[in-house]
């Protein structure tokens, strides 16, 4: 059974940094496309960043210039490096994977496997 397990969340002050990790198990290689999403109270789920099979990437507007998505194929870990964090980045962050496309995408219809999430809290 394919599983994704996130870690690395926590509480930081405005301007701080965090690196989230998502470990893949139950499969020997990454799904073609991987992504990070977030869900804040009272808001809709938002696509943060995605990475495709060829390591192409795409970012949501809120993440551009501040967040970087990457993956380590050998360790089977997906990362999200976050800098210059703001209170509005406070949310539960989820990683997701899918095989419906090779290209990075934030369209959630392509994602079939989801992790349980890791909480990020940014205080002012």
């Amino acid at each position: 059974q394919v599983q994704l397990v996130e870690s690395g969340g926590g509480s930081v002050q405005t301007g701080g940094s965090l690196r989230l990790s998502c470990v893949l198990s139950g499969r020997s290689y990454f799904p073609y496309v991987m992504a990070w999403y977030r869900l804040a109270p009272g808001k809709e789920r938002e696509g943060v960043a995605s990475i495709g099979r060829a390591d192409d990437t795409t970012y949501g507007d809120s993440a551009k210039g501040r967040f970087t998505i990457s993956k380590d194929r050998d360790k089977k870990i997906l990362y999200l490096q976050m800098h210059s964090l703001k209170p509005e980045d406070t949310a539960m962050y989820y990683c997701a994977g899918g095989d419906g496309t090779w290209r990075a995408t934030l369209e959630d219809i392509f994602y079939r496997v989801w992790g349980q999430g890791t909480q990020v809290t940014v205080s002012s």
Side-chain angles (χ1 to χ4, degrees):
Q1 183 179 358
V2 179
Q3 285 190 318
L4 299 171
V5 178
E6 304 94 334
S7 63
S11 296
V12 297
Q13 293 188 326
T14 297
S17 298
L18 282 174
R19 187 177 76 162
L20 306 184
S21 299
C22 172
V23 177
L24 169 70
S25 63
R27 178 166 164 162
S28 60
Y29 56 92
F30 276 113
Y32 291 155
V33 62
M34 298 290 296
W36 287 95
Y37 283 81
R38 68 187 185 186
L39 182 62
K43 295 185 178 181
E44 293 186 354
R45 185 171 62 192
E46 177 186 7
V48 177
S50 173
I51 185 166
R53 186 182 182 188
D55 292 345
D56 51 306
T57 58
T58 190
Y59 294 89
D61 288 342
S62 62
K64 290 176 182 176
R66 300 189 299 130
F67 296 178
T68 302
I69 188 170
S70 62
K71 61 188 179 186
D72 184 321
R73 287 183 173 83
D74 292 335
K75 296 180 180 178
K76 296 190 293 184
I77 302 176
L78 178 74
Y79 297 103
L80 183 68
Q81 179 68 57
M82 305 186 293
H83 294 297
S84 303
L85 284 163
K86 308 172 183 180
E88 50 264 45
D89 294 317
T90 295
M92 185 73 79
Y93 284 71
Y94 300 88
C95 69
D99 292 314
T101 180
W102 289 3
R103 298 178 296 107
T105 178
L106 294 177
E107 296 182 59
D108 59 8
I109 60 171
F110 291 104
Y111 296 97
R112 299 298 185 195
V113 181
W114 294 79
Q116 295 298 307
T118 186
Q119 177 69 37
V120 172
T121 302
V122 185
S123 59
S124 58

